[in-house]
Amino acid sequence: SQQGEEDPQALSIQEGENATMNCSYKTSINNLQWYRQNSGRGLVHLILIRSNEREKHSGRLRVTLDTSKKSSSLLITASRAADTASYFCATDYSGNTGKLIFGQGTTLQVKP
Amino acid sequence: GAVVSQHPSWVICKSGTSVKIECRSLDFQATTMFWYRQFPKQSLMLMATSNEGSKATYEQGVEKDKFLINHASLTLSTLTVTSAHPEDSSFYICSAKHGGGEKLFFGSGTQLSVL
C-alpha cells in the first residue's frame, strides 16, 4: 500500500496547548495537503505545502515538510475545543490530477 | 465558493436493492470528481475517478459493475451501489477538483447501512 502513516493515532490535550501531528509517506510528491474531518462529515482543506517548500503558516497552523525524510508535521497552536476532529495528510503524487493518497489520520481531542 | 453537495446524508436499505448517491458541485464546474469509501476510524480509500463525459477509472480491487459511476454533467456525478449487501455498509464521500486547483472540495458524505 502506498498509504502514508500518521502518528500519533490519537491525541488528547487541554485547551490552550499545542498539538503536533506527524505524517510519513512513501513516494515522491508534488505537494502535501492537510485536511480536517469532523465526525461523520466530509473533509475540509486546511493547508497545502509544495515539494519545494519547507514550512508554511496559516493562522494557528504551521506545516513543515522534509522531502529527504518523506515526512511532514502539522502544528496547531493554542488549541481550542472546536479543533477536536480527525486530521489527515494527503500526498499528491500524480501531477495535479487530484488523486491523493491519504494517511491514516490523527484523532485530536481538545478538552475545555 | 467551491461548495460540493452530497445526498443523501444517510440511507438504510435492504440487501439486494440498489442505492444512488449524488455529488454536485454547486458553484463551479467539476470535470473530475472522486469517490471514496471510509470505514469507521480509518482513512479514505479512493474507489474511482469520475470524468465528465467519459467512463470512470476504478482503483484496483473495486468492482465497476458493483459501483456504477456516472458523470453526465459538469456539476453532477452519481455513485450507484448495485445489489447492496451488508458488507457494502460504509461511509461514502465524494470530492471535486476545481479547475487547475490543487486542493479538493469534499461533500459531506453518505452513511450507507445495508440490512
Side-chain angles (χ1 to χ4, degrees):
Chain A
S1 169
Q2 294 187 44
Q3 275 200 314
E5 297 181 0
E6 290 186 55
D7 77 273
Q9 290 188 345
L11 181 60
S12 181
I13 59 175
Q14 293 294 136
E15 216 168 20
E17 294 179 340
N18 296 340
T20 299
M21 297 161 239
N22 302 296
C23 166
S24 61
Y25 57 92
K26 299 179 181 178
T27 63
S28 296
I29 61 172
N30 299 300
N31 64 65
L32 185 144
Q33 305 177 33
W34 285 89
Y35 287 83
R36 167 193 166 131
Q37 183 182 34
N38 285 69
S39 182
R41 305 289 293 174
L43 277 69
V44 175
H45 182 268
L46 295 176
I47 195 166
L48 179 153
I49 186 166
R50 292 191 170 80
S51 59
N52 61 353
E53 297 176 309
R54 292 297 167 258
E55 186 171 312
K56 206 160 184 180
H57 296 254
S58 176
R60 293 184 295 114
L61 304 180
R62 172 176 164 252
V63 168
T64 62
L65 179 65
D66 186 335
T67 53
S68 66
K69 295 181 179 179
K70 290 187 168 59
S71 67
S72 174
S73 68
L74 171 67
L75 168 67
I76 303 175
T77 60
S79 64
R80 306 166 182 168
D83 294 329
T84 295
S86 292
Y87 293 82
F88 294 91
C89 66
T91 51
D92 177 359
Y93 67 99
S94 62
N96 197 23
T97 63
K99 288 184 67 170
L100 303 180
I101 298 176
F102 285 85
Q104 295 299 312
T106 294
T107 299
L108 173 65
Q109 180 185 30
V110 182
K111 300 175 183 177
Chain B
V3 177
V4 175
S5 174
Q6 186 174 340
H7 291 281
S9 297
W10 58 270
V11 57
I12 301 173
C13 70
K14 292 183 179 180
S15 188
T17 60
S18 294
V19 174
K20 180 184 284 188
I21 302 169
E22 293 188 348
C23 182
R24 293 179 184 272
S25 55
L26 297 186
D27 50 2
F28 67 101
Q29 294 182 331
T31 54
T32 305
M33 290 185 174
F34 302 91
W35 288 95
Y36 309 82
R37 185 171 180 177
Q38 185 180 31
F39 290 105
K41 299 189 186 302
Q42 293 191 24
S43 187
L44 279 72
M45 297 298 297
L46 179 65
M47 298 174 66
T49 302
S50 172
N51 298 297
E52 187 269 336
S54 65
K55 291 183 178 180
T57 304
Y58 291 82
E59 294 300 304
Q60 192 173 9
V62 178
E63 299 176 59
K64 61 180 181 181
D65 295 329
K66 172 78 172 175
F67 299 99
L68 299 179
I69 292 172
N70 186 288
H71 195 152
S73 77
L74 285 169
T75 59
L76 174 64
S77 176
T78 60
L79 168 67
T80 301
V81 182
T82 62
S83 186
H85 288 98
E87 56 265 31
D88 298 325
S89 298
S90 187
F91 191 61
Y92 293 88
I93 312 176
C94 69
S95 71
K97 194 170 180 300
H98 185 183
E102 294 164 296
K103 64 183 182 181
L104 298 179
F105 299 92
F106 283 80
S108 55
T110 298
Q111 181 64 52
L112 170 64
S113 296
V114 184
L115 304 178

